[in-house]
């Protein structure tokens, strides 16, 4: 899926963009396979293991799985980053994994993941522009959405 100029305009206007089904089914399956092998087991296995994680727990990119690495460095993500930042000189600054299982207690107080206040006022571009993106591989409802 190629991100359109209209979608980029929405991103620039609103400060965020949600793209449903960004990955193909095959890409999503490969990424999830890697996620479950290197970071956290699927929920059913997690429960069967007595709420234990039996994976290596590899959190940061690059991972020991090509499908997961491909999702982080997807050609369409590279393309849109180059178009938004108006340069081919881009770097993947961070890639990491996270998981929250239903029914577990998690610290959920308000916090800032990215200290640059990405939803704040639009500022002029500079040499150190930063884009952040997230995949959500599971269906969510208004009550379970990762960003509310």
């Amino acid at each position: 899926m190629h991100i359109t100029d209209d979608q980029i305009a929405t991103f620039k206007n609103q400060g965020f963009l949600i793209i449903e089904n960004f990955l193909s089914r095959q890409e999503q399956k490969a990424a999830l396979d890697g996620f479950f092998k290197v970071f956290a087991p699927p929920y059913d296995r997690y429960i069967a293991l007595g709420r234990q994680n039996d994976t290596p727990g590899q959190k940061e990119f690059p991972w020991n799985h090509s499908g997961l690495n491909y999702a982080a460095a997807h050609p369409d993500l590279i393309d849109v980053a180059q178009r938004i930042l108006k340069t081919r000189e881009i770097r993947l600054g961070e890639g990491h994994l996270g998981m929250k299982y239903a029914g577990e207690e998690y610290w959920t107080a308000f916090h800032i993941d990215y200290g640059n206040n990405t939803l704040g006022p639009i500022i002029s571009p500079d040499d150190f522009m930063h884009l952040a993106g997230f995949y959500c591989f599971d269906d969510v409802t208004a009550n379970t959405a990762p960003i509310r």
Side-chain angles (χ1 to χ4, degrees):
M1 165 188 228
H2 185 74
I3 298 174
T4 68
D5 290 339
D6 286 345
Q7 288 171 312
I8 290 174
T10 297
F11 168 77
K12 288 180 176 181
N13 183 47
Q14 295 181 354
F16 69 96
L17 180 65
I18 296 172
I19 302 175
E20 294 185 29
N21 302 312
F22 175 79
L23 297 175
S24 70
R25 286 281 185 204
Q26 182 179 355
E27 292 167 339
Q28 181 182 9
K29 185 177 180 211
L32 277 173
D33 177 68
F35 185 89
F36 294 141
K37 284 181 179 173
V38 304
F39 183 67
Y43 184 72
D44 292 344
R45 190 168 86 220
Y46 175 73
I47 296 302
L49 292 167
R51 296 185 179 273
Q52 298 295 314
N53 184 342
D54 66 343
T55 70
Q58 186 186 5
K59 183 177 180 176
E60 295 180 349
F61 177 88
W63 300 284
N64 191 22
H65 194 278
S66 62
L68 198 51
N69 289 333
Y70 185 81
H74 194 282
D76 285 345
L77 292 178
I78 294 169
D79 171 71
V80 75
Q82 291 172 339
R83 289 165 53 212
I84 290 171
L85 301 175
K86 296 184 175 146
T87 181
R88 294 180 54 83
E89 297 294 321
I90 62 170
R91 305 289 183 269
L92 176 59
E94 179 181 20
H96 71 267
L97 303 173
M99 169 67 113
K100 290 186 178 179
Y101 292 105
E104 295 287 342
E105 294 282 330
Y106 296 100
W107 177 73
T108 57
F110 177 77
H111 67 281
I112 297 174
D113 284 321
Y114 294 90
N116 63 351
N117 195 10
T118 55
L119 296 179
I122 297 173
I123 59 173
S124 298
D126 61 26
D127 289 341
F128 301 101
M129 292 178 59
H130 178 86
L131 299 173
F134 300 88
Y135 284 113
C136 184
F137 289 115
D138 210 349
D139 290 334
V140 295
T141 66
N143 292 329
T144 63
I147 301 172
R148 296 194 230 179

